[in-house]
Amino acid sequence: MTAEVLTPARQQSVLATLRSPRRLRTEVLAGLVVALALIPEAISFSIIAGVDPRVGLFASFTMAVTIAIVGGRPAMISAATGAVALVVAPLVASHGLDHLIAAVLLAGVIQIVLGALGVARLMRFIPRSVMVGFVNALAILIFTAQLPHLLGVPWLVYPLVAAGLAIIVGLPRLTTAIPSPLVAIVLLTAVTLAVGFSVPDVGDEGDLPNSLPSLFILDVPWTWDTLTVIAPYAFTMALVGLLESLMTAKLVDDLTDTHSDKTREATGQGIANIVTGLFGGMGGCAMIGQTMINVKESRARTRISTFLAGLFLLILVVGLGDIVALIPMAALVAVMIMVSVGTLDWHSVNPKTLRRMPKSETAVMLATVVVTVATHNLAYGVIVGVLTAMVLFARRVAHFTEVVDVADPEPGTRVYAVRGELFFASSNDLVYQFDYVGDPDDVVIDMSGAHIWDASTVATLDAVTTKYAAKGKTATIVGLDDHSAERHRRLSGQLGGEG
């Protein structure tokens, strides 16, 4: 994936931004655009989870404000998400809101523990092809999420969406002083109200709250049975949230050519979910779509935009709810369509790239995309993609192992040279590569061109020497490098079943 490096490349500090009116304006306007885009999604995710829209909206507020302070990736947006909504929906249906809040609190604790254990370091094991699949699947999901707002609607929606797209694409060619998505939302709202168009608006998505969030009084039995009910959901929520957040953070790192603290991000997600649970929110994690609006479309770079996105969200839905409810969904749909277009890695689906790319890399990318789109869960897609990459890698490396005869050995001796990386996938057939009956009494197995990686290989070598011993012959293993020799010395004869 070729990341578009956005300027300035250096990480911008909050204090430096506060001293610069131009940078501060960018952050403020970005936060406003994101807040407007959060409203319909938070309501939709609340419906998916089976809770009141206020639960999702307040969760988005508390997540954004908290993660702006404690998170590790500046400018990344965290709020109520569809992935979390899908995870908790069965719990809400079977046990209600109180058990959901208990699960959110427990998920936050689990995320803090996982952050302390260094789970963020596991990001190094996610291949590039999985990242490309993650991005492409996300682009597809963002686009398909707009289809309900484009099907079975008044015909006026379509010219409004087209006008919104034209503004978002064309305005940056004239000026970048104001984010084009914000201009599109304001202009389309003004036109719709002035002309009196009857089109779906934000108010049609659900009721907006009319009061500030308050501390939630949890009413669940503090028993082992309650823990067994919420623990599976909490653990799944914690893993899905961390995976989606860390993947999004890595994507933003690439886009901005900066580095972020993934361990702090993991811990920050846990703290944000605990705060969200305390205020009766449904929990959440990083939102890739809104993050792309913030970072790529609006060019925000600091925690200010994230904090203001949460603050503006609260002001808009509580203080200005009647006005926000009049925003046509066509305007927000246009914004999200452009986000999906900008998110897709077009280079990765170019026919020239696909012809040049190894089939295994393409298979991993497609597996990630297909599973993610089918399940609407980015975490599942990434897990399947990583597992597919591991299997294909093991299969490819296993073919590089070979056993060959060494010419002109000493009389009465046969020398085998083993070459390649030896692990469970490549060493299982090793035992069949020797002529136990036809070989002379002395056999030398030269391992100088190989490396032992696991106990399976040691067990295989034990099986080889045992088979020779059963024929009254001696097999000597030589040429092991230091690490292989230490592993062989420690495990040889201790694994059982050598014969």
Side-chain angles (χ1 to χ4, degrees), residues 12 16-33 175-179 182 294 298-300 302 304-305 308 312:
Q12 295 181 6
T17 301
L18 290 174
R19 297 190 188 102
S20 170
R22 181 178 61 83
R23 290 184 185 177
L24 182 58
R25 181 186 61 194
T26 298
E27 299 291 317
V28 171
L29 293 177
L32 180 57
V33 175
T175 178
T176 58
I178 302 176
L182 178 60
N294 196 45
S298 303
R299 308 183 77 82
T302 74
I304 296 174
S305 58
L308 289 178
F312 282 146

Side-chain angles (χ1 to χ4, degrees), residues 27-91:
E27 299 291 317
V28 171
L29 293 177
L32 180 57
V33 175
V34 171
L36 289 169
L38 279 173
I39 294 171
E41 294 223 355
I43 295 173
S44 299
F45 298 150
S46 299
I47 295 172
I48 292 173
V51 296
D52 188 278
R54 288 175 295 182
V55 177
L57 289 166
F58 286 158
S60 295
F61 159 66
T62 53
M63 285 291 298
V65 169
T66 306
I67 205 66
I69 300 170
V70 301
R73 173 64 256 180
M76 190 167 76
I77 304 298
S78 291
T81 60
V84 170
L86 288 170
V87 169
V88 301
L91 177 62

Side-chain angles (χ1 to χ4, degrees), residues 43 52 64 78 87-88 94 136 228 243 245 288 291 314-315:
I43 295 173
D52 188 278
S78 291
V87 169
V88 301
S94 60
N136 290 343
T228 58
L243 185 55
S245 298
I288 183 69
T291 297
L314 185 65
I315 294 172

Side-chain angles (χ1 to χ4, degrees), residues 177-257:
I178 302 176
S180 57
L182 178 60
V183 175
I185 292 171
V186 173
L187 286 181
L188 292 184
T189 302
V191 169
T192 301
L193 295 177
V195 181
F197 289 155
S198 178
V199 293
D201 54 33
V202 171
D204 295 328
E205 297 297 301
D207 294 331
L208 300 178
N210 54 15
S211 62
L212 296 174
S214 58
L215 288 175
F216 186 85
I217 306 301
L218 193 61
D219 183 20
V220 296
W222 296 92
T223 63
W224 179 257
D225 288 340
T226 299
L227 181 61
T228 58
V229 168
I230 67 172
Y233 295 98
F235 191 71
T236 304
M237 192 190 314
L239 290 181
V240 168
L242 280 183
L243 185 55
E244 197 159 336
S245 298
L246 295 177
M247 291 284 285
T248 304
K250 188 176 187 302
L251 178 61
V252 177
D253 288 352
D254 293 340
L255 284 171
T256 60
D257 195 24

Side-chain angles (χ1 to χ4, degrees), residues 22-380:
R22 181 178 61 83
R23 290 184 185 177
L24 182 58
R25 181 186 61 194
T26 298
E27 299 291 317
V28 171
L29 293 177
L32 180 57
V33 175
V34 171
L36 289 169
L38 279 173
I39 294 171
E41 294 223 355
I43 295 173
S44 299
F45 298 150
S46 299
I47 295 172
I48 292 173
V51 296
D52 188 278
R54 288 175 295 182
V55 177
L57 289 166
F58 286 158
S60 295
F61 159 66
T62 53
M63 285 291 298
V65 169
T66 306
I67 205 66
I69 300 170
V70 301
R73 173 64 256 180
M76 190 167 76
I77 304 298
S78 291
T81 60
V84 170
L86 288 170
V87 169
V88 301
L91 177 62
V92 176
S94 60
H95 290 82
L97 179 62
D98 286 272
H99 279 73
L100 165 61
I101 302 305
V104 171
L105 293 171
L106 181 56
V109 173
I110 293 172
Q111 287 179 325
I112 293 174
V113 172
L114 291 175
L117 293 176
V119 70
R121 290 192 292 269
L122 295 177
M123 285 298 295
R124 72 183 67 178
F125 296 107
I126 297 181
R128 175 190 174 279
S129 51
V130 174
M131 278 296 299
V132 173
F134 169 82
V135 169
N136 290 343
L138 182 64
I140 294 171
L141 288 178
I142 292 174
F143 180 79
T144 55
Q146 311 315 309
L147 294 181
H149 304 295
L150 295 172
L151 301 175
V153 294
W155 68 269
L156 286 171
V157 168
Y158 303 111
L160 287 174
V161 171
L165 293 174
I167 294 170
I168 296 170
V169 173
L171 184 63
R173 299 178 182 179
L174 302 176
T175 178
T176 58
I178 302 176
S180 57
L182 178 60
V183 175
I185 292 171
V186 173
L187 286 181
L188 292 184
T189 302
V191 169
T192 301
L193 295 177
V195 181
F197 289 155
S198 178
V199 293
D201 54 33
V202 171
D204 295 328
E205 297 297 301
D207 294 331
L208 300 178
N210 54 15
S211 62
L212 296 174
S214 58
L215 288 175
F216 186 85
I217 306 301
L218 193 61
D219 183 20
V220 296
W222 296 92
T223 63
W224 179 257
D225 288 340
T226 299
L227 181 61
T228 58
V229 168
I230 67 172
Y233 295 98
F235 191 71
T236 304
M237 192 190 314
L239 290 181
V240 168
L242 280 183
L243 185 55
E244 197 159 336
S245 298
L246 295 177
M247 291 284 285
T248 304
K250 188 176 187 302
L251 178 61
V252 177
D253 288 352
D254 293 340
L255 284 171
T256 60
D257 195 24
T258 57
H259 177 71
S260 61
D261 188 339
K262 305 300 187 300
T263 298
R264 177 177 173 180
E265 181 61 36
T267 304
Q269 288 289 329
I271 295 172
N273 271 305
I274 291 176
V275 172
T276 297
L278 291 175
F279 283 91
M282 61 181 281
C285 60
M287 296 189 76
I288 183 69
Q290 275 66 20
T291 297
M292 290 298 100
I293 292 175
N294 196 45
V295 174
K296 196 169 184 179
E297 303 294 333
S298 303
R299 308 183 77 82
R301 291 293 180 272
T302 74
R303 301 174 186 277
I304 296 174
S305 58
T306 306
F307 180 87
L308 289 178
L311 185 60
F312 282 146
L313 174 64
L314 185 65
I315 294 172
L316 288 170
V317 299
V318 175
L320 303 173
D322 292 340
I323 298 175
V324 171
L326 300 176
I327 295 175
M329 285 301 301
L332 298 177
V333 168
V335 172
M336 297 311 294
I337 287 176
M338 287 309 302
V339 169
S340 68
V341 171
T343 301
L344 188 74
D345 186 347
W346 293 98
H347 176 73
S348 69
V349 295
N350 187 301
K352 292 182 179 179
T353 304
L354 293 174
R355 285 194 296 269
R356 189 182 305 116
M357 193 68 62
K359 290 183 174 58
S360 59
E361 297 286 328
T362 302
V364 171
M365 188 264 285
L366 290 176
T368 305
V369 171
V370 170
V371 173
T372 300
V373 173
T375 63
H376 284 228
N377 193 313
L378 291 165
Y380 292 162

